[in-house]
């Protein structure tokens, strides 16, 4: 059950799309939203604001007033009616501000916006986005445009069916169930990591037999790379959402080194949900 949702915002269109999705989930779960804006002020101004001094620098006061004005505009949106929204301004750097806020408020999920095709570094919070996905112990849902999360019928979760991914796979199942979507578990077979159908099916069935999940399919999809396979498989079944798990600092994917997560988040046309192993 989702009770606390963190939405970092820079008040962009993409951040608002994330907030709209958060509102949909909040209404269904009677959850509250923590709306976080990061003010990356010069060090001396940040220190003044954080110190609680009665007369901080005029420049810092100006930035604070601007932020609160934007908060008032955003929180007055109709789609947030009857939802408890707690807005906060943080003077930490983006990564630490978001991670610390997620821990402090015991959030169940972080929902954030993305600009998409111009590069993973173009996520609204900049290159720190990769660090957030990698370091967050909470699931991170990346949204690129307005979408009805409860109108998603098919959710693709890419996995290598290793035991270490069991809890993430279960979490993906629980999320798909919460939005009433069918879960499509997929192993991407590539030349570099080739496994026979017999080997893969045996591994799939061994894991699934020990998990309390339902309304799912098991799939093997062949492609040149894992990331292309995930995207192409999702496209082939017209899935509305993609899920992957991450090892954090060891690399965003548990079954390939390198930039799988960045590529999937960057190139996917649909929402991407990441889970920490």
């Amino acid at each position: 059950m989702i009770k606390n949702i963190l939405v970092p915002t820079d008040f962009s269109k993409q951040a608002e799309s994330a907030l709209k999705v958060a509102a949909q989930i909040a209404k269904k779960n009677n959850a509250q939203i923590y709306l976080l804006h990061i003010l990356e002020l010069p060090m001396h101004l940040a220190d003044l604001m954080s110190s609680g001094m009665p007369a901080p620098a005029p420049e810092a006061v100006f930035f604070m007033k601007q932020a609160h004005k934007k908060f008032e505009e955003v929180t007055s949106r109709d789609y947030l009616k009857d939802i408890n929204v707690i807005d906060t301004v943080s003077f930490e750097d983006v990564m630490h501000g978001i991670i610390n806020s997620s821990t402090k408020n015991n959030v169940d999920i972080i929902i954030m916006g993305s600009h998409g095709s111009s590069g993973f570094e173009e996520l609204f919070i900049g290159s720190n986005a990769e660090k957030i996905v990698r370091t967050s112990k909470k699931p991170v849902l990346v949204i690129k445009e307005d979408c009805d999360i409860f109108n998603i019928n098919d959710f693709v979760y890419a996995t290598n069916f290793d035991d270490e991914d069991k809890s993430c796979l279960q979490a993906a199942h629980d999320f798909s169930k919460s939005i009433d979507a069918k879960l499509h578990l997929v192993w991407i077979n590539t030349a570099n990591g080739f496994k026979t159908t017999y080997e893969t099916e045996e591994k799939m069935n061994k894991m699934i037999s020990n998990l309390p999940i339902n309304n799912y399919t098991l799939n093997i999809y062949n492609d040149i790379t894992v990331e292309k396979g995930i995207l192409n498989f999702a496209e082939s079944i017209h899935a509305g959402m993609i899920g992957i798990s991450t090892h954090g600092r060891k690399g965003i994917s548990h079954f390939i080194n390198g930039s799988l997560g960045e590529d999937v988040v960057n190139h996917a046309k649909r929402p991407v949900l990441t889970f920490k192993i």
Side-chain angles (χ1 to χ4, degrees):
M1 182 68 73
I2 295 174
K3 286 301 178 185
N4 298 305
I5 303 169
L6 176 63
V7 182
T9 184
D10 63 351
F11 307 108
S12 66
K13 179 182 176 182
Q14 290 77 17
E16 183 152 13
S17 291
L19 184 57
K20 288 177 181 177
V21 169
Q24 295 168 34
I25 294 174
K27 286 179 180 177
K28 175 125 184 212
N29 293 274
N30 193 28
Q32 60 185 358
I33 295 173
Y34 290 90
L35 190 59
L36 175 69
H37 180 60
I38 305 291
L39 267 179
E40 291 193 284
L41 300 173
M43 187 64 71
H44 70 285
L45 294 182
D47 289 343
L48 282 172
M49 294 301 292
S50 300
S51 69
M53 292 178 64
E59 302 99 312
V61 173
F62 170 78
F63 287 124
M64 277 292 291
K65 285 183 177 179
Q66 288 293 102
H68 285 297
K69 183 178 179 181
K70 289 179 180 177
F71 271 139
E72 288 178 7
E73 293 174 6
V74 171
T75 55
S76 66
R77 304 282 200 260
D78 288 342
Y79 61 81
L80 291 173
K81 186 178 180 182
D82 299 325
I83 299 174
N84 186 30
V85 180
I86 302 165
D87 56 74
T88 307
V89 174
S90 171
F91 301 101
E92 301 172 87
D93 66 86
V94 170
M95 186 189 77
H96 289 99
I98 293 173
I99 297 300
N100 289 341
S101 180
S102 69
T103 301
K104 176 184 175 183
N105 298 304
N106 193 30
V107 305
D108 301 296
I109 189 170
I110 299 170
I111 303 179
M112 50 191 277
S114 163
H115 292 291
S117 60
S118 53
F120 186 85
E121 70 280 3
E122 293 297 325
L123 284 167
F124 76 91
I125 48 176
S127 59
N128 288 295
E130 179 185 353
K131 297 176 185 176
I132 292 164
V133 170
R134 288 185 176 185
T135 57
S136 175
K137 295 179 180 178
K138 310 292 184 179
V140 180
L141 175 58
V142 179
I143 302 293
K144 293 189 176 177
E145 57 187 26
D146 288 1
C147 74
D148 181 354
I149 200 74
F150 293 106
N151 196 34
I152 289 175
N153 297 316
D154 298 282
F155 176 24
V156 167
Y157 183 73
T159 175
N160 64 355
F161 295 93
D162 280 346
D163 286 342
E164 66 177 1
D165 196 34
K166 189 177 291 185
S167 62
C168 293
L169 194 157
Q170 183 67 56
H173 166 266
D174 294 344
F175 187 88
S176 67
K177 192 172 182 180
S178 74
I179 62 172
D180 199 26
K182 188 163 191 171
L183 182 64
H184 300 275
L185 303 173
V186 61
W187 163 271
I188 306 300
N189 213 11
T190 65
N192 289 335
F194 179 78
K195 287 187 182 298
T196 65
T197 298
Y198 177 82
E199 287 179 288
T200 306
E201 288 181 342
E202 188 176 43
K203 195 173 185 181
M204 285 176 166
N205 292 323
K206 182 180 177 182
M207 175 182 277
I208 295 304
S209 65
N210 295 316
L211 289 175
I213 68 174
N214 53 51
N215 194 28
Y216 67 90
T217 67
L218 294 175
N219 306 272
I220 301 170
Y221 193 85
N222 302 312
D223 215 317
I224 299 171
T225 64
V226 174
E227 59 268 27
K228 285 183 182 296
I230 295 171
L231 297 174
N232 289 335
F233 175 71
E235 187 70 28
S236 72
I237 66 168
H238 307 292
M241 191 171 180
I242 293 172
I244 54 176
S245 58
T246 126
H247 259 138
R249 295 185 182 278
K250 295 180 183 177
I252 202 166
S253 166
H254 59 291
F255 53 85
I256 190 172
N257 292 322
S259 60
L260 174 68
E262 292 98 318
D263 289 339
V264 172
V265 171
N266 182 37
H267 297 124
K269 300 174 183 177
R270 39 191 62 79
V272 177
L273 180 60
T274 64
F275 301 92
K276 180 70 172 291
I277 289 179

